Amino acid sequence: HCPSAHCGAAAGRAMAPERGLTQVCRLTGHEERVWCAAWRPNVDPPQLTTCGTDRVIRVWGVRGSASLASEDAWVLLSEVDAREKHSRTLRSVGWDMSGSVLAVASFDATTTLWKEEKSEQVSSGLSFECVGVVAGHENEVKSAMFSPSGDFLATCSRDKSVHIFDTPDNFEYECVSVLQSHSQDVKCVRWHPSQDVLF
């Protein structure tokens, strides 16, 4: 007979701690739906990139040594108006592993490539320039992601295909493979964390 409702703990089994998510901050600025948020790798302090229906790319950063959980620690570092490059919603953002090239997938069937501008004229925040456009899908591009080596960019689309592009330094990406085994639209692509293996 167990006199307590916690008889498992009384018998020597540790009770699992309660788990859950706690909101620590709310970033505001997008005028419409936010479709994607992605951490920028290899930067300190951390940076978070967002995109959405308003066709604006935003890069957020943490002030100096402030805690990530502090509401006032986050500041807007860059606001990139992509309306000249994209005619429809921005669906996803994905950085290469070095954190130097950002791929932005759009419902207009293209993916744009962005790099941070290193300029003395930029006094505060960050500035980005579009360095390339990747095309080939017949319909909305849902996701774009660089391989761990940075040698490939994978995109997927409502056209039921996955395209693999090589990634030369001149940003003139060429499609090296088209995968067409899906019967419905493909919403997401993911690479293995350390190998150029696509899932």
Side-chain angles (χ1 to χ4, degrees):
H1 176 264
C2 182
S4 166
H6 301 289
C7 60
R13 286 183 289 157
M15 297 298 287
E18 283 191 38
R19 296 179 190 259
L21 298 175
T22 302
Q23 179 178 314
V24 295
C25 181
R26 181 186 197 100
L27 304 176
T28 58
H30 285 283
E31 296 174 4
E32 298 179 56
R33 179 189 304 243
V34 175
W35 276 104
C36 186
W39 292 104
R40 184 178 188 182
N42 293 316
V43 291
D44 189 34
Q47 293 178 12
L48 184 69
T49 308
T50 58
C51 72
T53 305
D54 60 7
R55 292 181 285 157
V56 174
I57 305 159
R58 287 180 170 79
V59 181
W60 310 85
V62 176
R63 285 192 184 98
S65 60
S67 166
L68 290 173
S70 172
E71 182 87 30
D72 61 353
W74 289 89
V75 293
L76 182 62
L77 300 176
S78 182
E79 189 172 73
V80 181
D81 187 343
R83 287 178 286 193
E84 287 187 13
K85 301 296 179 185
H86 289 290
S87 60
R88 295 184 61 199
T89 293
L90 306 183
R91 182 60 176 87
S92 82
V93 287
W95 290 95
D96 70 352
M97 295 299 279
S98 69
S100 61
V101 181
L102 176 68
V104 179
S106 172
F107 282 179
D108 67 8
T110 66
T111 299
T112 48
L113 306 169
W114 301 79
K115 276 189 69 93
E116 185 178 346
E117 287 184 285
K118 304 291 185 185
S119 171
E120 294 179 12
Q121 296 174 346
V122 180
S123 58
S124 63
L126 304 175
S127 179
F128 291 85
E129 65 175 329
C130 182
V131 293
V133 178
V134 181
H137 284 290
E138 297 173 6
N139 216 313
E140 301 170 359
V141 182
K142 304 280 189 167
S143 177
M145 181 171 266
F146 287 96
S147 67
S149 70
D151 291 340
F152 302 103
L153 174 73
T155 61
C156 65
S157 171
R158 187 176 181 184
D159 66 13
K160 307 175 190 173
S161 71
V162 174
H163 289 201
I164 311 294
F165 298 87
D166 66 355
T167 58
D169 292 339
N170 65 2
F171 301 106
E172 294 180 6
Y173 291 11
E174 294 288 332
C175 185
V176 295
S177 183
V178 177
L179 311 176
Q180 295 181 305
S181 58
H182 292 278
S183 60
Q184 298 293 325
D185 61 334
V186 187
K187 297 189 184 295
C188 187
V189 285
R190 285 291 178 264
W191 294 92
H192 182 279
S194 60
Q195 301 175 36
D196 285 359
V197 177
L198 188 66
F199 290 95

